Amino acid sequence: MLKTLNIKSSSRTELINITNDIIKIVKDCRVGSGICLLHVPHTTAAITINESADPDVVIDITVKMNEIVSRNSNYRHMEGNSDAHIKSSLFGPSLSLIIEDAKLLLGTWQNIYFCEFDGPRNRNLFIKIIS
Amino acid sequence: MLKTLNIKSSSRTELINITNDIIKIVKDCRVGSGICLLHVPHTTAAITINESADPDVVIDITVKMNEIVSRNSNYRHMEGNSDAHIKSSLFGPSLSLIIEDAKLLLGTWQNIYFCEFDGPRNRNLFIKIIS
Amino acid sequence: MLKTLNIKSSSRTELINITNDIIKIVKDCRVGSGICLLHVPHTTAAITINESADPDVVIDITVKMNEIVSRNSNYRHMEGNSDAHIKSSLFGPSLSLIIEDAKLLLGTWQNIYFCEFDGPRNRNLFIKIIS
């Protein structure tokens, strides 16, 4: 089963919590045991897992990543978004998650984030369920 | 099949070699061909593969990562572990490995490491086998 | 089904576009729906996805990564390639991709790159197809 989730980002750099969307998709597909593969079909975005209890955590992540991979550098690519391409490779475009007892298996503090590194844009996420 | 491995870290930052545990779990499940999905259910830890022949390699990894993602910065999150959350997203919470001929397929120098970034703690790792 | 792709790198640090090889392997295996798991069996190489339309993007990635993870530092490992080991863990040794309608599902700008961080060398990539 393949699903597509549409995501609308509102800033250049932004981590968007999509946990409830993915939990619902997994629940609706009624697969008891398997793998849920998330794939971001973009090269200036990514997917990750982190904490949501304190919203400052994802702000710290975006601020520090902007420091580590500076937006302005001696980049050759002329579109001004080489930093976004690099962050995309560092965080990764895909994530495989466990489905057990017909539910997504996440840790207590784990939430799934779509990582926008060159927004605002309309983005997609593919969700593939394998049982 | 789902298994849980308990891991006890003894330092704040530490790469713990769990290769033999995973090899044994894969062997015991008697799956001839498939995927072994490792999932760390924490947001200040991760999973990676690297060399074990020279134990200095994983020391270099932890020391350099402490330089790249400094522990002290203008972080907003007040628990003092924003660096650990960032490293968790950089290394990633999950890893998919190939099972072939009823064995885990790893390169000669590849070992599997549980990455502790905010220890010492008691941690878990989920192992899902799909055939 | 398990396939091995041989890759020959020609520089120390190099991103090699292997998209067409993987597309062909997926097509030839005639699996309608599933997962294509790519595994790099090395500890100084990795696998990633990024843009190919402008070849400067992957040059920017390699140059900036050489800045972030400097080749010379107070490394303990004596082989002079600790930076390559660190980059291997940051980019990751494996990548799971979606197969849908008997084709690899990639975004318009997405290309698959074998990441050489300690070449030139002869390398392998394992490709496992699960339906």
Side-chain angles (χ1 to χ4, degrees):
Chain A
M1 206 213 57
L2 181 73
K3 291 271 179 186
T4 303
L5 188 68
N6 302 117
I7 295 160
K8 202 178 171 62
S9 61
S10 54
S11 309
R12 181 163 196 266
T13 308
E14 185 183 6
L15 268 63
I16 299 167
N17 193 336
I18 56 168
T19 315
N20 289 339
D21 300 292
I22 308 302
I23 286 173
K24 189 180 180 320
I25 287 168
V26 169
K27 192 183 165 196
D28 289 352
C29 80
R30 295 173 179 274
V31 163
S33 167
I35 289 179
C36 172
L37 170 54
L38 309 179
H39 180 82
V40 173
H42 309 286
T43 59
T44 53
I47 187 98
T48 197
I49 281 183
N50 226 297
E51 184 191 310
S52 74
D54 178 1
D56 280 342
V57 169
V58 295
I59 294 175
D60 285 343
I61 293 173
T62 54
V63 168
K64 178 55 84 178
M65 287 308 300
N66 286 343
E67 280 178 37
I68 295 170
V69 188
S70 53
R71 183 168 183 182
N72 297 308
S73 191
N74 291 323
Y75 295 124
R76 297 167 57 140
H77 182 54
M78 298 299 285
E79 292 181 21
N81 62 357
S82 285
D83 62 320
H85 286 288
I86 296 163
K87 290 175 195 167
S88 174
S89 280
L90 283 171
F91 276 46
S94 75
L95 189 62
S96 293
L97 299 170
I98 297 170
I99 302 172
E100 191 73 12
D101 297 329
K103 282 184 293 191
L104 204 60
L105 188 63
L106 290 173
T108 311
W109 306 103
Q110 287 191 313
N111 279 254
I112 306 165
Y113 286 93
F114 181 91
C115 309
E116 174 62 81
F117 295 128
D118 191 35
R121 295 206 204 192
N122 289 312
R123 301 289 204 171
N124 289 319
L125 176 73
F126 297 133
I127 302 104
K128 177 81 179 173
I129 312 272
I130 294 278
S131 59
Chain B
M1 205 213 57
L2 181 72
K3 291 273 178 183
T4 304
L5 187 67
N6 303 117
I7 295 159
K8 200 177 173 65
S9 61
S10 54
S11 309
R12 181 164 196 266
T13 309
E14 185 183 4
L15 268 63
I16 300 167
N17 193 335
I18 56 167
T19 315
N20 289 338
D21 299 293
I22 308 303
I23 286 174
K24 188 179 182 319
I25 286 168
V26 170
K27 191 183 165 196
D28 290 352
C29 79
R30 295 171 178 274
V31 163
S33 167
I35 288 179
C36 172
L37 170 53
L38 309 180
H39 180 81
V40 173
H42 310 286
T43 59
T44 53
I47 187 97
T48 197
I49 280 183
N50 226 298
E51 183 191 312
S52 74
D54 178 1
D56 280 342
V57 169
V58 296
I59 294 175
D60 286 343
I61 293 173
T62 54
V63 168
K64 180 53 84 176
M65 288 307 301
N66 287 343
E67 280 178 37
I68 295 170
V69 188
S70 53
R71 183 168 183 181
N72 298 308
S73 190
N74 291 323
Y75 295 123
R76 295 167 58 142
H77 181 54
M78 298 299 285
E79 292 180 22
N81 61 357
S82 285
D83 63 319
H85 286 288
I86 297 163
K87 290 176 195 166
S88 174
S89 280
L90 283 171
F91 275 45
S94 75
L95 189 62
S96 293
L97 300 170
I98 297 170
I99 302 173
E100 191 73 12
D101 297 329
K103 281 183 293 192
L104 204 60
L105 188 62
L106 290 173
T108 311
W109 306 103
Q110 288 190 313
N111 279 255
I112 307 165
Y113 286 94
F114 181 92
C115 308
E116 174 62 80
F117 295 129
D118 191 34
R121 295 207 204 191
N122 289 311
R123 300 290 204 172
N124 289 319
L125 175 75
F126 296 133
I127 302 105
K128 177 81 177 172
I129 313 271
I130 294 279
S131 59
Chain C
M1 204 213 58
L2 181 72
K3 290 271 179 187
T4 303
L5 188 68
N6 302 117
I7 296 159
K8 201 178 171 64
S9 61
S10 54
S11 309
R12 180 163 197 266
T13 308
E14 185 183 7
L15 267 63
I16 300 167
N17 193 336
I18 55 167
T19 315
N20 289 338
D21 300 293
I22 308 302
I23 286 173
K24 188 180 182 317
I25 287 169
V26 169
K27 192 183 166 197
D28 289 352
C29 79
R30 295 170 179 273
V31 163
S33 167
I35 288 178
C36 172
L37 169 54
L38 309 179
H39 180 82
V40 173
H42 309 286
T43 58
T44 54
I47 187 97
T48 197
I49 280 182
N50 226 298
E51 184 191 310
S52 74
D54 178 359
D56 280 343
V57 169
V58 296
I59 294 174
D60 285 344
I61 293 173
T62 53
V63 168
K64 180 53 86 176
M65 288 308 301
N66 286 344
E67 280 178 37
I68 295 170
V69 187
S70 52
R71 183 167 183 183
N72 297 308
S73 190
N74 291 323
Y75 296 123
R76 295 168 58 141
H77 181 53
M78 299 297 287
E79 291 180 22
N81 62 356
S82 284
D83 63 320
H85 286 288
I86 296 163
K87 290 175 193 166
S88 173
S89 280
L90 283 171
F91 276 46
S94 75
L95 190 62
S96 293
L97 300 170
I98 297 170
I99 302 172
E100 191 73 11
D101 296 329
K103 281 183 294 192
L104 204 60
L105 188 63
L106 290 173
T108 311
W109 306 103
Q110 288 191 312
N111 280 255
I112 307 166
Y113 286 94
F114 181 91
C115 309
E116 174 61 80
F117 295 128
D118 191 34
R121 295 205 204 193
N122 289 312
R123 301 290 205 171
N124 290 319
L125 176 74
F126 297 132
I127 302 104
K128 176 82 179 173
I129 313 271
I130 294 279
S131 60

